[in-house]
Amino acid sequence: MAEAESELSNTVRILVATDCHLGYMEKDEIRRHDSFKAFEEICSIAEQKRVDFLLLAGDLFHENKPSRSTLVKAIEILRRHCLNDNPVPFQVVSDQTLNFQNSFGHVNYEDPHFNVGLPVFTIHGNHDDPAGVDNLSAVDILSACNLVNYFGKTVLGGSGVGQITLHPILIKKGSTAVALYGLGNIRDERLNRMFQTPHAVQWIRPESQEGCQVSDWFNILVLHQNRVKTNPKNAINEHFLPRFLDFIVWGHEHECLVDPQEVPGMGFHISQPGSSVATSLIDGESKPKHVLLLEIKGNQYRPTKIPLMSVRPFEYTEVILKDEADIDPNDQNSILEHLDKVVVKLIEKSRKKAVNRDELKLPLIRIKVDYSGFMTINPQRFGQKYVGKVANPQDILIFSKATRKAKGEGKIDDSERLRPEELNQQNIEALVAENNLKMEILPVNDLDIALHNFVNKDDKNAFYVCVQSNINETRNKIAKDSNTMKFDEEDLIVKVGECLEERVKQRSTQSKEPTQFTYADQSMEDFQGRSTSGIGPAVSFSDDDDTMQISTSKPSTRGRKGSSGASQNPTRGRGRGRGRGSSTMKQTTLDGAFRSSQRSASVAAATALQSAADDGDNLDSASSDSLENESNLPGRKRAAPRGRGRGSTQSSKRGRKSDNSKIHRMLMNNDDDDDDDDDDARKRLNKSQPRVTKNYGALRR
């Protein structure tokens, strides 16, 4: 008995679970409670097994901004199981301010105002990752309530691809020491590049102390990323991880591979518990769901997988119609009869697996039908007869055709294609490439990130932050030079182009990672005012309808001289071209397009200067004659020139306020609103300096 107690006092007991997806299908009357029942069972198992703490590997919530109902239910479950008088038998001996990035800076059970008997440690996933100006997630709400210990929240510092530092949570229980590393979800493309960049990912090892050497620590890593697929750049290879690790908990993958697997040549084991609720009806999610009980003593561990009994049964099968002998290709009824038989068999199979007949749940049924050479049927109409018999009558059937490409792909890739956020991301890239878009002040990648945050994370300030961050970056780059007032206009325009090229190269190394832009010092009201005075590309922000509008136009200098680029209405785009729209586009194409645009900028600026010098004496008379001739036309009113003609060299800003920026005044002298007076028109025409070229546009604050 004494030996058992001694062994228990030196053994760290951890219950591991991942991808709870609280709030999944919360509007479905049948499946709305599935995620909460599974999470309640996980917490109950933790209490029954008397574990030291519960470890979650991301995606606790399904939505980035979960509903109030989801938040309330999650808080209720955690309060029921985590707040009690049970003693916590381990100590956290690391610098907790580095581990927990909140205003309290310590583990929750050390708070004297709370009785925490079951600590919960969690990282964020790709569904509940931080967003917004303050970089907060839904997990921060639970952390502020002192219900969970949120770790693994990294701050991407440095330049280029970025740099992160991982500080472990050092846990001691008796003679056992555990170093718990956490890495919340980062875009796979960017993290992949960071692992391949020297010193971009730094691992902090525990210091040697008396009675505890560095080798005595049992090192655990918790992460939430893609594992290696057909596209190695969109996943994390296990060989990127350091060899000193002993055990890895891999989140994000929903297929249950809970048994630890050793990675050849690396010395550590990987456990992939999978999700506790099926979110994609594929073969990988039809396997039984488990959690892992991990017992650690010294440098040894013992895994025990525990099945989840509250999970809704899910049956999956595949049918190839051409291989079935009882189906007539010309008879649709024979197809329906065969599929009906398959559904009935799957329903009966799920009933036989049920342990508790009293709480028999409606099963999830998915049949993948290869209809090559056959006609399809309406899945919704087919499922109507199974309402009340299955949990998903509207999508029992999914039709596909066998292709050579599909045969060479793995099953997990099917789940990857079913994830809506990744499909949307690919569609955005395709849209940029199809429309041959080109941005000349803002990199397309930054706008893509802003659009992602605005749509998927409901960040209403995403575009404002994107615009302000890029403008400030360009302004600061130019301000670093000795004296901007000594720049010629042509040199300054080229300088703006160089700044854009630098940002394009920097963004290309980040591989579409949604970096956290920082706000400028201006207020929102100042931004709204400036959006009507020429911040380009023009972005209008409205607090009433919460919409962002971006309008583009054709290149403003096609067939024009001088400052015809500035003669366009400021709400128009700064031209079109390929630009750096997506990570799939080749860098050589981007560099070539930029060099071409830079040459065009220099030619346009030089031509404008020469034109202004040659025509300076005759400009007043020519402009006056043209005004008089125009005024003599019958039925036409005299109006101030708009600067949109072929030889125009000035920019009219209708209804636009002038900007007070020094650089802006140096590039373009904004005029007041159009006036019908001829004297004002001639004065504006006399200001014939070139201010905008085709490719770069005026640098605006």
Side-chain angles (χ1 to χ4, degrees):
M1 187 68 179
E3 293 181 0
E5 292 181 357
S6 175
E7 182 178 356
L8 186 61
S9 63
N10 294 320
T11 303
V12 177
R13 295 167 58 85
I14 309 171
L15 187 68
V16 182
T18 68
D19 296 85
C20 297
H21 287 274
L22 296 180
Y24 176 71
M25 297 291 288
E26 63 179 344
K27 295 184 179 179
D28 188 285
E29 289 299 325
I30 299 176
R31 305 166 63 185
R32 58 181 301 185
H33 300 296
D34 288 0
S35 60
F36 301 104
K37 289 181 179 179
F39 186 57
E40 180 103 42
E41 183 184 2
I42 292 172
C43 294
S44 299
I45 293 174
E47 280 189 310
Q48 295 169 8
K49 299 297 182 180
R50 299 179 61 185
V51 301
D52 295 328
F53 62 89
L54 175 61
L55 182 60
L56 304 177
D59 278 354
L60 177 60
F61 294 100
H62 183 69
E63 298 289 343
N64 190 266
K65 291 189 175 182
S67 65
R68 284 174 288 185
S69 174
T70 298
L71 280 173
V72 168
K73 291 178 182 177
I75 292 173
E76 289 175 350
I77 294 173
L78 291 171
R79 282 192 60 179
R80 279 196 297 269
H81 296 279
C82 299
L83 300 185
N84 51 57
D85 294 331
N86 297 333
V88 177
F90 65 89
Q91 291 181 337
V92 176
V93 298
S94 57
D95 186 356
Q96 300 183 28
T97 58
L98 298 176
N99 301 137
F100 311 109
Q101 297 185 8
N102 53 33
S103 58
F104 302 100
H106 58 76
V107 70
N108 64 344
Y109 68 84
E110 291 183 357
D111 194 312
H113 304 290
F114 291 83
N115 282 339
V116 178
L118 176 62
V120 178
F121 292 84
T122 181
I123 63 173
H124 67 259
N126 60 313
H127 282 259
D128 51 10
D129 58 330
V133 181
D134 297 323
N135 198 35
L136 297 176
S137 72
V139 185
D140 282 296
I141 299 177
L142 301 182
S143 176
C145 295
N146 210 47
L147 295 174
V148 302
N149 299 291
Y150 179 19
F151 71 111
K153 187 176 181 180
T154 57
V155 178
L156 294 173
S159 60
V161 72
Q163 182 179 358
I164 58 176
T165 303
L166 300 181
H167 297 271
I169 301 175
L170 303 182
I171 298 173
K172 276 193 174 183
K173 182 182 179 182
S175 60
T176 301
V178 175
L180 181 61
Y181 292 85
L183 181 59
N185 179 262
I186 300 176
R187 287 278 177 171
D188 293 290
E189 299 92 336
R190 182 170 190 177
L191 186 59
N192 184 296
R193 185 178 289 271
M194 292 178 71
F195 273 123
Q196 300 183 62
T197 303
H199 310 297
V201 181
Q202 297 183 357
W203 303 80
I204 305 300
R205 300 290 304 275
E207 297 180 356
S208 298
Q209 299 176 354
E210 293 184 3
C212 186
Q213 303 300 320
V214 176
S215 59
D216 295 334
W217 291 89
F218 188 86
N219 301 286
I220 301 177
L221 171 64
V222 185
L223 78 165
H224 191 98
Q225 305 290 153
N226 283 339
R227 295 183 77 172
V228 174
K229 303 284 192 319
T230 54
N231 182 10
K233 294 183 179 180
N234 193 33
I236 304 303
N237 194 313
E238 295 93 339
H239 293 82
F240 289 162
L241 303 176
R243 297 175 183 271
F244 70 83
L245 295 174
D246 299 297
F247 194 85
I248 295 175
V249 178
W250 205 296
H252 184 61
E253 300 293 350
H254 285 202
E255 184 177 6
C256 183
L257 301 174
V258 68
D259 294 319
Q261 301 173 352
E262 184 178 1
V263 179
M266 299 301 294
F268 52 73
H269 295 76
I270 297 179
S271 174
Q272 181 181 303
S275 64
S276 59
V277 59
T279 59
S280 299
L281 301 183
I282 58 173
D283 189 20
E285 294 230 37
S286 63
K287 297 180 180 180
K289 303 292 186 181
H290 293 82
V291 292
L292 180 69
L293 175 61
L294 188 65
E295 298 175 282
I296 305 170
K297 183 180 179 182
N299 285 328
Q300 304 296 322
Y301 75 91
R302 179 172 59 196
T304 305
K305 62 179 182 180
I306 303 174
L308 295 177
M309 310 306 299
S310 62
V311 177
R312 184 177 299 277
F314 174 32
E315 299 295 334
Y316 176 90
T317 189
E318 296 183 3
V319 174
I320 302 177
L321 296 181
K322 64 181 180 181
D323 294 343
E324 303 297 334
D326 59 339
I327 298 179
D328 184 3
N330 299 321
D331 186 7
Q332 190 175 21
N333 291 330
S334 64
I335 300 176
L336 291 173
E337 291 176 1
H338 180 79
L339 295 178
D340 284 332
K341 293 178 182 177
V342 175
V343 173
V344 171
K345 289 181 181 178
L346 292 177
I347 295 176
E348 187 63 27
K349 181 180 178 182
S350 67
R351 288 179 180 174
K352 291 180 179 179
K353 290 181 179 180
V355 178
N356 190 351
R357 296 282 179 176
D358 297 333
E359 297 182 2
L360 190 62
K361 295 183 178 181
L362 297 181
L364 293 168
I365 303 295
R366 169 55 61 89
I367 303 174
K368 185 176 181 181
V369 182
D370 183 355
Y371 69 103
S372 301
F374 291 78
M375 63 183 71
T376 62
I377 59 177
N378 191 322
Q380 287 79 16
R381 185 178 301 173
F382 176 82
Q384 287 178 358
K385 67 185 78 171
Y386 297 104
V387 173
K389 298 180 181 179
V390 300
N392 60 323
Q394 71 281 359
D395 58 355
I396 295 176
L397 303 180
I398 178 172
F399 291 93
S400 65
K401 283 188 176 181
T403 60
R404 294 181 180 178
K405 183 178 180 181
K407 292 179 181 178
E409 294 179 352
K411 296 180 180 178
I412 304 300
D413 294 318
D414 296 335
S415 67
E416 198 69 22
R417 290 193 297 271
L418 289 174
R419 287 174 182 155
E421 63 272 16
E422 298 186 357
L423 288 175
N424 289 338
Q425 190 74 18
Q426 293 172 0
N427 289 339
I428 291 174
E429 296 176 357
L431 181 65
V432 171
E434 277 179 23
N435 292 275
N436 200 25
L437 298 178
K438 177 179 174 60
M439 308 302 295
E440 296 159 0
I441 297 297
L442 303 176
V444 179
N445 213 22
D446 286 3
L447 283 181
D448 189 21
I449 294 168
L451 180 63
H452 172 81
N453 292 338
F454 180 76
V455 174
N456 294 340
K457 301 182 181 179
D458 197 24
D459 185 3
K460 298 180 177 61
N461 299 326
F463 288 100
Y464 168 65
V465 176
C466 172
V467 172
Q468 289 297 93
S469 175
N470 279 276
I471 290 178
N472 289 338
E473 195 173 341
T474 303
R475 184 188 299 120
N476 294 336
K477 177 65 177 176
I478 295 179
K480 287 182 181 179
D481 294 310
S482 58
N483 190 354
T484 57
M485 298 302 294
K486 293 181 180 180
F487 280 136
D488 293 335
E489 291 182 4
E490 184 177 353
D491 296 337
L492 191 58
I493 292 169
V494 173
K495 193 68 179 177
V496 175
E498 292 174 355
C499 294
L500 174 64
E501 186 180 29
E502 258 186 48
R503 291 203 307 277
V504 166
K505 290 182 179 179
Q506 181 178 353
R507 301 300 193 271
S508 67
T509 62
Q510 296 178 1
S511 301
K512 296 178 68 58
E513 164 66 19
T515 53
Q516 183 63 39
F517 297 115
T518 56
Y519 273 97
D521 294 332
Q522 292 91 345
S523 63
M524 180 62 72
E525 291 79 3
D526 184 32
F527 166 71
Q528 292 173 348
R530 291 180 186 274
S531 65
T532 61
S533 62
I535 294 181
V539 180
S540 62
F541 180 88
S542 172
D543 286 332
D544 298 331
D545 52 7
D546 295 336
T547 58
M548 294 286 184
Q549 298 175 351
I550 302 178
S551 57
T552 59
S553 66
K554 295 182 179 180
S556 57
T557 59
R558 185 174 296 171
R560 300 181 187 178
K561 296 181 180 180
S563 59
S564 58
S567 65
Q568 294 238 359
N569 189 300
T571 60
R572 299 196 177 254
R574 307 303 308 164
R576 301 175 68 132
R578 182 163 296 278
R580 197 189 65 81
S582 68
S583 60
T584 60
M585 302 171 74
K586 293 185 178 179
Q587 187 64 33
T588 55
T589 305
L590 303 179
D591 294 338
F594 181 83
R595 288 194 295 269
S596 176
S597 63
Q598 188 172 7
R599 289 195 299 269
S600 301
S602 302
V603 172
T607 306
L609 290 172
Q610 183 177 1
S611 175
D614 294 342
D615 299 338
D617 298 334
N618 301 325
L619 185 58
D620 288 340
S621 60
S623 302
S624 177
D625 292 341
S626 64
L627 289 173
E628 291 176 1
N629 293 336
E630 185 178 357
S631 64
N632 293 331
L633 293 176
R636 179 173 296 183
K637 295 183 180 180
R638 286 172 52 184
R642 300 186 56 133
R644 300 179 64 87
R646 185 172 294 274
S648 172
T649 58
Q650 70 92 27
S651 168
S652 66
K653 302 289 181 180
R654 297 183 61 86
R656 307 291 180 184
K657 295 181 180 180
S658 62
D659 196 286
N660 293 326
S661 171
K662 293 180 180 180
I663 300 177
H664 194 230
R665 289 200 304 272
M666 186 166 59
L667 290 178
M668 34 189 329
N669 295 321
N670 287 341
D671 301 315
D672 296 328
D673 297 339
D674 286 356
D675 196 309
D676 290 336
D677 186 42
D678 292 341
D679 294 337
D680 293 339
R682 283 192 292 270
K683 289 179 181 179
R684 287 195 299 272
L685 288 173
N686 285 332
K687 299 176 182 179
S688 58
Q689 57 181 358
R691 287 179 288 270
V692 180
T693 64
K694 172 180 178 181
N695 295 284
Y696 300 125
L699 176 61
R700 298 177 178 178
R701 183 174 179 176

